[in-house]
Amino acid sequence: MLLVDDYLDRWLRLDIEHYFRGGQPSAFELAHAARLENWLVVHACELTRNDLAGDMSLIGHVMDHPRHADGKLIRTATLVWLDSRGKWARTKDIIWRLGDRSAPPSGADELRKLTGES
Amino acid sequence: MAQEVSTHSSSAPLPLQLLWRRGWPPAAQFFWSRIGEIESLPRGDLAADFWSGEKERCKAVCRTLADLLFAAGRGEEALAALMLAADPAEPQTFEIVLPQLTYAIEHLWEWPAAGVTRQHALGRLTVWWRAARGDFEDDDSSIFWITGLEMLDQDGSSEGLPPAEEPDKCEQEDEPEEPGIVVMPKDKVTKLNNYQSEFKDLVDARLPLRLAGDIGAVRRKLIAEYPHAVGAIDVVLRELREGKPVRWAPILLTGPAGVGKSRLVRRIADLLGIGVYRYDGSGASDNMFGGSPKGWGNTVPSAPTRAVNQMRIANPIVMVDEIEKAGTSSRNGRLWDALLPFLERETATRYRDVSLDAELDLSWVSHIATANSIENLPDPLKDRYCIVKVPAPRLADLPGLAANVLQELAVESGEQGFVWALANDELAVIGRAWEKAGFSIRALQKIVAATLEVRNANAVRH
């Protein structure tokens, strides 16, 4: 378990370093990425004032995800990089291809209570 | 394994340094001087927008800069540009900044950097996180300013200290090959007070003088956009020399209301890559052209000083709009008196700013005024301006003018390059309405906007 986490952390770091050099996820990565439709950014409301760093994640209808049925409403793990054009996002564990943002799911406040997963 | 990320900068990452800037202007200035070393970046083309002082224009150009910097492989600088575009009134703008910034602070950058620890940086970032959650949505200030204030409130201990003053050194290195002057020499300044901290950076700073580029190209563009004002354009451009700093002796544009005098000035400035500082002659704003003395609580330097400070160039344009209206207000004549010392190069070279209590060289600032009529202006003032008439457009100018207005509307609504040209039947309708409205550009803007609304309400036009 520890080994997998280490591996994910290292992979995340390499990705973020790549983005800081002006890179983007490759076409291959995006083609195989899970998709999020009707998404929105939410904050971790349970954040305590003592917690120095905040926490954002995405909520939306998932598509092409290996473990979730298409259309299921989910909340992702912590957001680490959101593309400035809103086309893709890197969360703590995976890359997401982002779809339409214009129609966020209704009852957004309820959705904020969804637990983080991917 | 992990590669070195901050290969481009010898010191701490730029986003980190911006976190400690007090206010948007110091942050912007620091950013601006740092990106100056990136050769492939067309920084000069974006200067007018960047230093326009208008929030939306600044935000838009910062996003453009971020795109260019990402494309140039400079992600840290790009993130810094997005930080400058972050707006507490629009919490969404933080979504493309905070996740990556927080991750970089927690996992990527070396510590201590620039004399601060990771905890200090994350502590400062809490204010940004609050802004992202909408805590300062009603606040008109920048996130840099708010962070400064919030950190002062917090026990005032080491948390609020800047990471030494080391970063400021870079600012004087602003493109040494570019001609420039020191507007505010140190030996002519007394100690500035707290209200003037934003002007502190001017002391001994060598500010660039923007040079006139291809004047022929500027003229062609202007004439295409203002076909009715060829004479005025020629008189104005005649004074410029290619490759020399942009500077005019005082100019007064006069013509009927709504012919586009102020727009013409802005456009000329845009094309030359310099900024315009607008001062409302009718007194709608503060009526403090000459500044207020240092003894006062919130003292304000003169308008030309503010212009130089805002644009970070030594030769911006200060435009007094509707100068003739100043005489009819109760503050009769104050603006006119205050203007005179700036209009003489001799006195402007050694202008004593009563607010900063310092001697400044403002002789490179150009003064352009607009007036609907000049009858009521006092002679001493009229004598100092070169008076240029801008006539009202004629019906024959309509197609060209309407196309420009259309383009402007498209830019405003963010639909650049995606507007259908006006069809002949639309032009005919616009022409009739415009004639009734007396051929003013302002009226034309309204008419074209209304035409577009009608068009959008109907089907797509082919």
Side-chain angles (χ1 to χ4, degrees), chain B residues 26 31 83 109 127 138 169 175 201 295 357 365 367 373 393 410 457:
Chain B
F31 167 80
M83 286 170 77
W109 292 330
V127 185
D138 302 327
K169 284 180 206 149
E175 299 181 19
D201 294 340
D357 197 12
V365 177
H367 292 271
S373 72

Side-chain angles (χ1 to χ4, degrees), chain B residues 250 252 279-283 287-291 320-344 347 351 367 369-385:
Chain B
L252 176 58
Y279 190 89
D280 187 358
S282 62
N287 205 39
M288 287 279 195
F289 194 89
V320 178
D321 233 352
E322 304 195 311
I323 190 173
E324 84 280 16
K325 301 266 171 71
T328 57
S329 81
S330 59
R331 287 160 288 212
N332 203 336
R334 287 225 336 240
L335 169 62
W336 297 344
D337 290 339
L339 260 171
L340 287 174
F342 295 102
L343 303 181
E344 298 284 351
T347 41
Y351 180 77
H367 292 271
T370 71
N372 295 341
S373 72
I374 54 167
E375 289 154 28
N376 295 327
L377 287 182
D379 286 337
L381 200 62
K382 267 196 268 188
D383 290 347
R384 282 170 173 85
Y385 281 104

Side-chain angles (χ1 to χ4, degrees), chain A residues 12-14 16-17 19-22 41 43 47 49 52-56 79-85 101, chain B residues 2-3 5 67 70 73 75-76 79 92 95-96 99-100 102-104 106-108 119 126 129-130 132-133:
Chain A
L12 173 63
R13 190 188 165 107
L14 288 174
I16 301 300
E17 284 174 349
Y19 307 151
F20 265 115
R21 286 191 299 271
V41 175
H43 288 263
L47 185 78
R49 286 281 154 182
L52 287 181
D55 194 342
M56 287 183 197
L79 180 64
V80 183
W81 190 295
L82 177 60
D83 164 45
S84 58
R85 304 219 169 267
R101 192 181 188 171
Chain B
Q3 294 175 35
V5 176
D67 287 345
F70 272 127
E76 283 178 6
L79 182 57
Q92 272 199 355
E95 294 170 359
I96 51 175
Q100 38 266 63
T102 305
Y103 179 86
E106 286 187 320
H107 302 286
L108 226 50
Q119 289 308 305
T126 49
W129 278 99
R130 284 170 57 200
R133 288 194 290 268

